[in-house]
Amino acid sequence: MSKLDKAQDRALELIGEIGDGLRKKVPDKAVQWLETGAAIGALRAGSKVAGTFVRRNPVLVGAAVVGAGVLWYAARQRAKKSAVIDGQATRLRHADAEQDEYGV
């Protein structure tokens, strides 16, 4: 391990210790606000990246949406088909056939 690697590891340890110390000293509500702020910041950055991607590649996004729709439709059809297999059996009868008191 070089001196630079050791220094980086030590710096990360110190940052972790400082973070732990701050978490213990700062009230729980403040930590919750910081976590919420970090989540909102990540959401804003992600939406900017997604917006840029959509503007630059509209065809690719459209193809992805269509593909997701096709996959959803296929899964729905498969679920319907398996529901028929797992459901009750039905028997087709001719309209003129007579039935007894049990419906047979």
Side-chain angles (χ1 to χ4, degrees):
M1 223 181 207
S2 69
K3 289 183 180 182
L4 182 62
D5 291 335
K6 289 179 183 178
Q8 287 176 342
D9 289 342
R10 182 63 184 145
L12 288 173
E13 288 177 19
L14 287 173
I15 290 172
E17 290 174 10
I18 291 170
D20 290 340
L22 282 176
R23 275 190 222 107
K24 289 177 184 174
K25 292 188 190 292
V26 175
D28 290 336
K29 270 294 195 201
V31 171
Q32 187 178 12
W33 278 101
L34 286 173
E35 289 173 354
T36 304
I40 290 173
L43 183 65
R44 287 182 64 199
S47 66
K48 278 186 178 180
V49 170
T52 303
F53 182 80
V54 169
R55 268 187 257 117
R56 290 185 181 174
N57 306 300
V59 174
L60 187 61
V61 172
V65 169
V66 169
V70 167
L71 287 174
W72 173 79
Y73 182 74
R76 188 171 146 218
Q77 292 299 318
R78 185 173 185 158
K80 280 184 181 180
K81 190 180 276 189
S82 69
V84 170
I85 291 172
D86 295 340
Q88 295 180 354
T90 57
R91 196 166 106 190
L92 299 176
R93 292 185 290 253
H94 193 282
D96 298 333
E98 292 184 10
Q99 294 182 356
D100 59 5
E101 64 263 14
Y102 299 111
V104 180

